[in-house]
Amino acid sequence: MPNRKQAELINKHIGCARFVFNLALETKQMAYVGAKVNLTCFALHEQLKDLKKECEWLKEINSQSLQQSITNLDRAYTAFFKGQNAFPKFKSKHRGNQSFNIPQNVLLEDNKLVIPKFKEGIEIILHRPTKGTIRQATISRTPTGKYFVSILCETGEAVKHKANIKENTTVGIDLGIKSFVVASDGKEFDNPKFLRKAQSRLKFVQRKYSKHKGKRTNKRLAILHEKVSNQRKDFLHKVSTELIRENQSIAVETLQVSNMLKNHKLAQSISDAGWSTFVTMLEYKAEWYGKNILKIGTFEPSSKTCSHCGSINKELTLQDREWTCKSCGTLLNRDVNASCNIKSFALKNHSSVERRPKNRGELPTLVGVLIPEAQPSLVVG
Ligand SMILES: [Zn+2]
């Protein structure tokens, strides 16, 4: 639990980390649009010095945390070009993850977290003892104003060798709304009933109080939100762990969120289902256990293609849960068939493309972008 002064400084860190992230994203975009140049992570780190001269208030912030914001943006770009993620988005003050990272100099002393700019230490409640060497930490704030720190340790255990990708140890998964996951081996994971109940209760409360919004209602909603999101996380952890344990490789579709957002109802269900969180869990657990995640782009005819003979059923509608292929006569379950297609498509397409950045000409800089946008009020958490 940080004291008031510390909470204020944490909020400033969160605000500044977001500010630098957004500024770097804008600079990168301008450099690309204007000069067709991909600004490197290093070039942007270099510009931080000038930015600090321009924005005195950044000096209050741990500079490594600001650098890390740029590194995170760079990683988001790399992931995008590898087809692993959607294009990086500007971070919002109100939505999404409110956090900042401390990449170095993290110490734990007598239940206190000691990090740069917080020399006196922030009191914390440790849920588990740490194992190995502490490498870095992330401090986050929930919508209800609770603070959490996650600490990353290195245990010295060798990074696991990745399992070979073989047809018979690979499973394809189809993420759905009716069932949360249907795997190509026929296994299904349904959204638990209590979660569906909690979600509809949340929507009910939201609707009921939408007319008279006040501080108290907002707080109530935030608490309910947090409860539902914790329950959902538990469920996602269970499913992802089971899939990772039982399979050597998992093929999954990259979610083209922009396409899906066109359909508002579907968009709501997607955010309820937590698909992107789920895919992220699969990815890091795959790293832990030496498994493979094979991602494919959204594969339009994954439901309409017969996984036995490859012919396409153009008449298939969303209502058809089962269909018989006219070419080969196989009776197909819609979701299992889709996950079989995702599996075979991923196995065929298993290769990644990396793009190298180029450097030339005069480019926009962080400060250059800043001038029309500069607003010191952005710092306030
Ligand atoms: Zn067929």
Side-chain angles (χ1 to χ4, degrees):
M1 279 290 286
N3 59 38
R4 261 188 86 166
K5 235 176 114 192
Q6 291 174 331
E8 214 171 276
L9 190 55
I10 289 176
N11 291 343
K12 280 185 184 171
H13 270 78
I14 293 173
C16 289
R18 176 178 58 236
F19 172 73
V20 169
F21 181 94
N22 288 343
L23 199 60
L25 176 54
E26 195 167 343
T27 312
K28 255 177 107 79
Q29 280 180 344
M30 280 174 66
Y32 191 73
V33 173
K36 290 272 169 266
V37 163
N38 192 352
L39 275 178
T40 63
C41 189
F42 180 75
L44 288 167
H45 276 174
E46 283 295 295
Q47 291 172 19
L48 263 180
K49 290 170 206 155
D50 293 332
L51 185 67
K52 271 193 199 159
K53 280 181 211 147
E54 208 70 28
C55 311
E56 289 276 324
W57 35 271
L58 284 178
K59 288 182 182 155
E60 225 182 317
I61 308 301
N62 176 8
S63 53
Q64 290 167 339
S65 295
L66 300 179
Q67 284 187 2
Q68 189 63 35
S69 277
I70 293 176
T71 310
N72 290 345
L73 173 70
D74 196 66
R75 284 190 190 142
Y77 258 81
T78 312
F80 168 72
F81 284 121
K82 283 185 180 168
Q84 295 167 342
N85 262 345
F87 191 77
K89 270 189 293 199
F90 287 98
K91 286 193 194 296
S92 154
K93 191 170 166 180
H94 306 288
R95 273 170 288 113
N97 191 11
Q98 304 293 333
S99 66
F100 73 99
N101 186 271
I102 309 105
Q104 268 176 42
N105 303 319
V106 179
L107 285 173
L108 279 181
E109 281 171 1
D110 310 325
N111 283 330
K112 275 188 174 177
L113 176 76
V114 185
I115 52 174
K117 305 283 179 189
F118 296 84
K119 287 271 152 24
E120 71 291 359
I122 304 165
E123 267 185 51
I124 57 167
I125 301 160
L126 212 55
H127 291 294
R128 264 173 302 172
T130 57
K131 260 197 262 171
T133 325
I134 295 173
R135 284 282 169 239
Q136 49 164 291
T138 303
I139 293 182
S140 54
R141 186 187 61 217
T142 69
T144 55
K146 284 184 206 136
Y147 294 91
F148 288 95
V149 58
S150 63
I151 296 169
L152 192 73
C153 298
E154 208 171 75
T155 52
E157 284 167 25
V159 176
K160 296 227 162 122
H161 279 290
K162 290 259 177 172
N164 290 331
I165 298 167
K166 285 185 200 152
E167 200 274 327
N168 59 351
T169 54
T170 299
V171 74
I173 57 171
D174 184 45
L175 301 176
I177 289 165
K178 212 158 180 228
S179 291
F180 180 70
V181 166
V182 176
S184 56
D185 58 5
K187 230 180 188 178
E188 266 181 57
F189 299 88
D190 281 331
N191 276 308
K193 225 184 196 161
F194 67 83
L195 194 55
R196 288 206 304 262
K197 265 193 185 157
Q199 272 167 352
S200 53
R201 170 149 180 78
L202 179 62
K203 272 181 202 149
F204 172 74
V205 174
Q206 252 167 349
R207 228 174 298 135
K208 198 173 165 193
Y209 291 104
S210 64
K211 278 175 198 134
H212 33 95
K213 270 206 172 144
K215 258 197 166 160
R216 268 182 68 194
T217 349
N218 284 344
K219 179 115 199 211
R220 248 188 94 183
L221 272 176
I223 291 169
L224 206 54
H225 257 294
E226 215 164 282
K227 194 181 154 202
V228 173
S229 100
N230 285 340
Q231 286 178 330
R232 188 162 54 206
K233 238 182 248 171
D234 275 348
F235 168 67
L236 299 180
H237 271 302
K238 273 185 200 137
V239 177
S240 55
T241 300
E242 188 169 337
L243 281 168
I244 287 283
R245 284 229 172 104
E246 291 180 356
N247 302 286
Q248 299 302 316
S249 309
I250 296 165
V252 61
E253 267 180 312
T254 316
L255 306 169
Q256 295 273 328
V257 178
S258 57
N259 280 348
M260 290 171 165
L261 286 179
K262 283 178 200 149
N263 182 340
H264 183 73
K265 238 185 176 170
L266 187 60
Q268 185 56 46
S269 305
I270 293 162
S271 62
D272 283 352
W275 286 346
S276 58
T277 312
F278 178 70
V279 174
T280 311
M281 284 178 178
L282 281 180
E283 283 174 312
Y284 70 68
K285 288 179 185 177
E287 286 301 314
W288 291 352
Y289 299 110
K291 308 292 176 80
N292 307 288
I293 300 295
L294 310 175
K295 281 188 159 188
I296 61 166
T298 306
F299 176 41
E300 267 303 335
S302 64
S303 305
K304 295 181 180 177
T305 308
C306 168
S307 56
H308 283 256
C309 71
S311 69
I312 292 171
N313 177 0
K314 283 185 187 147
E315 288 143 39
L316 191 73
T317 68
L318 264 174
Q319 276 73 44
D320 298 328
R321 306 312 305 169
E322 270 186 355
W323 53 286
T324 308
C325 174
K326 279 182 185 156
S327 307
C328 70
T330 314
L331 178 67
L332 300 153
N333 168 299
R334 181 196 186 89
D335 299 326
V336 177
N337 179 55
S339 49
C340 287
N341 283 327
I342 290 168
K343 172 181 169 177
S344 51
F345 197 69
L347 286 171
K348 265 186 245 159
N349 276 268
H350 161 244
S351 67
S352 65
V353 186
E354 261 184 85
R355 296 193 193 174
R356 296 242 119 225
K358 285 175 268 175
N359 239 334
R360 67 185 137 88
E362 188 128 327
L363 299 171
T365 62
L366 288 173
V367 175
V369 173
L370 176 76
I371 291 157
E373 289 281 315
Q375 264 172 22
S377 63
L378 277 168
V379 212
V380 187

